[in-house]
Amino acid sequence: MASTFTIEIITPERITYSGSAVSVTLPTAAGQITVLPGHIPLVSPLVAGEAIVRNGSDEVYLAVSTGIVQINADSIKILTSSAERAEDIDEARAEQARQRAVQLMAERRDDVDYAALSAKIEKEIARMHVARKRKHHSGPQINQE
Ligand code: ATP
């Protein structure tokens, strides 16, 4: 059995990630799962959260939003409405977008799509979570005092 598989993370705008991996952790509707090569074929909905692609000592952290994952023994394909690598996430932008969505929700207007707003909030929280976690993993802190 192969010890790696290929992974592609595709959004409407771009291919955010394409490469090989020894394991991939994904936020599915049934919870966080870690997939290894040789997995049985599976299709599952994705929810907003963190994806981790591991290849040897290399780990890539990404924020993904709702979508679908297709798993096969030698490949994983993710179609999602948005995906960003941790280092590309603008945390302040995510927080501002979250705040705007929370405020709009609080206005209780009839013309607002609450399911979409709720999904937006989840997406922004996932972005902030991934960006922050990555900061804590980015090597020793320098004490400037
Ligand atoms: P905002 O409400 O912050 O303007 P948006 O709703 O337009 O964002 P999306 O539709 O989720 O954002 O994404 C649009 C594009 O911008 C996508 O390419 C997405 O990856 C990117 N993007 C959105 N938010 C961020 C962020 N906080 N950091 C980095 N890239 C982002």
Side-chain angles (χ1 to χ4, degrees), residues 13-14 83-84 88-90 93-94 97 100 120 123 127:
E13 295 167 354
R14 63 181 98 91
E84 300 89 32
D88 295 332
I89 296 171
D90 180 339
R93 173 177 166 186
R100 276 198 307 274
K120 170 96 178 143
K123 177 167 72 173
R127 282 174 173 147

Side-chain angles (χ1 to χ4, degrees), residues 11 13-14 16 63 65 81-98 100 120 123-124 127-128:
T11 74
E13 295 167 354
R14 63 181 98 91
T16 304
S65 60
S81 42
S82 71
E84 300 89 32
R85 283 170 174 252
E87 59 272 26
D88 295 332
I89 296 171
D90 180 339
E91 201 182 325
R93 173 177 166 186
E95 172 58 8
Q96 281 165 13
R98 186 194 68 82
R100 276 198 307 274
K120 170 96 178 143
K123 177 167 72 173
E124 303 303 346
R127 282 174 173 147
M128 288 190 286

Side-chain angles (χ1 to χ4, degrees), residues 45-96:
L46 274 188
V47 296
E50 179 182 53
I52 308 171
V53 180
R54 300 181 193 84
N55 200 357
S57 59
D58 194 25
E59 285 193 337
V60 177
Y61 295 79
L62 303 110
V64 296
S65 60
T66 47
I68 191 145
V69 57
Q70 181 191 40
I71 299 169
N72 280 307
D74 60 359
S75 70
I76 295 190
K77 197 168 274 187
I78 293 169
L79 296 175
T80 175
S81 42
S82 71
E84 300 89 32
R85 283 170 174 252
E87 59 272 26
D88 295 332
I89 296 171
D90 180 339
E91 201 182 325
R93 173 177 166 186
E95 172 58 8
Q96 281 165 13

